[in-house]
Amino acid sequence: MLPEPHIVHAFFGQVEALQEQPCGSGNINDTYLLTFRTPAGQKRQSILQRLNHRVFARPDAVMRNIQSVAKHLQETDYPLDILTPIPTTEGGTLYQDARHQYWRAFPYFAHTYAPERLPTSEEAWEAARAYGLFLKALASLPVAAVEETIPHFHEPRYRWAAFEAAVTQDVVGRAVRVKAEITQIYEQRATFEAIAHLIETGQLPVRIVHNDTKAGNVLLSRHNGKAIAVIDWDTLMPGTVLSDFGDMVRTFAPDRYEDDFGEVEIRPMVLQALEEGFLEGMGSTLSPAEQQHLHLGARWIVAEQALRFLTDYLNGDIYYKIRYPEHNLVRARNQLSLLARLPL
Ligand code: GN1
Ligand code: MG
């Protein structure tokens, strides 16, 4: 449902909404590009987004995290554009409508695109460098400056337990149809254990990480291909950099999108560009242990994503948006196919 006029007015005052277009490819929130005319007659564009408060149960905490990070980046020599929330006319960062939906507004970065469809090696390098610069700049902000907005988000043992519960409970009776996929997930247990061990023994530093570094969350210039901004800061939380590298590999290196059918191939040149760009961006901020385990991070995150899609399929599609009944299963199969192609 398009944002109603009172939602537009809550952020921009008495402007005239000219157009509202759904935008982006998010699986959780609803995002719109709003075009409006100011009382002085100027045409402006902005992003309006409904925050899914079933997934983000503490919308205020999400916005506090975003504000803390935006402030820090403004005070640091961070070279990219910053996703500073646009306040409501009352000075808050969220507007709650009569249906108890939470809305927020962000700047729209004109003349940019997210390299979501078969990014080239050049695009992958540029995007990975941008994510690396983002993480490097966050390294000087104390971890306690951000709150955990989705508890246990990338916690390997928690994800594993949620998967096992979904298989055992089998609430919609789908387990029988996906025995092969369940077996394939079980074969990945050692990867989850290895990551849990690295985290629990303190071998990986706990940092503020982005936690959703997919190809759709970085904007490049339409004019010269240079990175303009890292977006979607909702999952900024303490974690490990391995998951951020993993999500890049997961979404840039394959020869097809995560929603597509069919066997997936890895594009080795793109994989190499990702690693080079990321190291260029993060520089010496990356510890030797982190660098050593980057590829394990990729294996883990692809396996985790396969597990998450399959868990949601078994739970009756209650988390991710789906466009048809088997959508989560198609996504899980896509990730399992990708996993089989990852270099060890
Ligand atoms: C969700 O909504 P979106 O597309 O930003 C999910 C990510 C997954 C991604 C898979 C809060 O992100 O963790 O990697 O889908 N976000 C949340 O496409 O669960
Ligand atoms: Mg996201």
Side-chain angles (χ1 to χ4, degrees):
M1 204 195 323
L2 295 175
E4 292 159 8
H6 65 98
I7 297 165
V8 174
H9 295 158
F11 289 95
F12 303 103
Q14 293 308 309
V15 302
E16 181 195 355
L18 300 175
Q19 199 181 27
E20 288 173 339
Q21 284 171 283
C23 87
S25 56
N27 292 324
I28 308 283
N29 299 323
D30 299 332
T31 312
Y32 304 90
L33 171 58
L34 164 74
T35 308
F36 60 91
R37 201 187 335 258
T38 68
Q42 290 152 322
K43 226 169 154 181
R44 295 270 158 78
Q45 288 190 301
S46 192
I47 295 294
L48 262 188
Q49 196 174 46
R50 186 186 70 83
L51 186 70
N52 179 333
H53 64 275
R54 196 173 43 75
V55 169
F56 295 102
R58 295 191 301 134
D60 290 322
V62 171
M63 299 314 287
R64 275 197 299 277
N65 283 356
I66 294 176
Q67 282 183 300
S68 304
V69 165
K71 180 169 178 287
H72 176 72
L73 295 183
Q74 270 147 17
E75 293 164 353
T76 316
D77 60 346
Y78 176 66
L80 304 176
D81 282 0
I82 296 172
L83 195 68
T84 308
I86 296 172
T88 65
T89 54
E90 293 181 356
T93 51
L94 285 167
Y95 171 71
Q96 204 179 2
D97 67 19
R99 288 193 208 94
H100 305 289
Q101 302 295 327
Y102 290 88
W103 292 86
R104 70 253 173 100
F106 291 111
Y108 171 66
F109 300 109
H111 313 295
T112 66
Y113 71 102
E116 282 185 281
R117 293 270 165 190
L118 283 184
T120 63
S121 297
E122 289 74 23
E123 288 171 322
W125 188 91
E126 190 62 29
R129 177 172 170 274
Y131 280 130
L133 290 168
F134 185 77
L135 293 171
K136 182 167 85 173
L138 289 183
S140 52
L141 181 64
V143 171
V146 298
E147 299 171 55
E148 196 179 44
T149 49
I150 302 184
H152 318 293
F153 190 58
H154 278 312
E155 220 175 272
R157 295 191 203 283
Y158 170 82
R159 288 287 175 202
W160 193 267
F163 167 66
E164 286 199 312
V167 174
T168 311
Q169 290 161 11
D170 193 20
V171 287
V172 284
R174 286 173 164 177
V176 63
R177 275 186 263 165
V178 292
K179 277 191 178 146
E181 289 78 8
I182 292 172
T183 304
Q184 283 172 275
I185 299 285
Y186 268 99
E187 286 164 5
Q188 298 305 318
R189 177 137 206 183
T191 304
F192 283 74
E193 285 298 323
I195 294 288
H197 179 76
L198 285 171
I199 295 171
E200 285 160 13
T201 53
Q203 294 179 63
L204 298 174
V206 176
R207 303 176 176 282
I208 300 174
V209 292
H210 182 283
N211 279 317
D212 194 9
T213 52
K214 49 199 232 181
N217 284 339
V218 57
L219 300 179
L220 307 182
S221 162
R222 282 199 189 280
H223 301 309
N224 60 16
K226 296 283 173 223
I228 301 296
V230 168
I231 59 168
D232 187 358
W233 294 7
D234 293 341
T235 45
L236 280 167
M237 273 183 271
T240 161
V241 79
L242 263 53
S243 65
D244 279 0
F245 183 73
D247 259 323
M248 284 179 234
V249 172
R250 193 178 80 69
T251 57
F252 285 84
D255 69 344
R256 62 191 66 208
Y257 191 59
E258 73 179 11
D259 287 282
D260 292 344
F261 289 83
E263 293 302 315
V264 182
E265 292 295 339
I266 288 274
R267 299 176 300 148
M269 299 289 282
V270 176
L271 187 58
Q272 192 184 334
L274 279 176
E275 193 165 344
E276 288 172 8
F278 189 57
L279 295 179
E280 171 80 20
M282 266 208 94
S284 57
T285 310
L286 203 63
S287 78
E290 288 174 319
Q291 195 164 341
Q292 181 194 340
H293 294 298
L294 283 182
H295 289 268
L296 176 65
R299 172 158 292 280
W300 162 46
I301 283 302
V302 176
E304 187 202 85
Q305 195 67 67
L307 175 151
R308 290 175 65 192
F309 285 142
L310 195 60
T311 301
D312 198 32
Y313 182 70
L314 291 167
N315 285 341
D317 309 311
I318 54 176
Y319 188 87
Y320 296 108
K321 289 182 195 170
I322 53 162
R323 286 192 299 279
Y324 56 94
E326 305 288 283
H327 198 161
N328 272 318
L329 178 56
V330 167
R331 290 164 168 156
R333 285 183 177 146
N334 171 299
Q335 297 295 295
L336 286 168
S337 169
L338 168 59
L339 190 62
R341 293 290 188 279
L342 279 182
L344 287 175

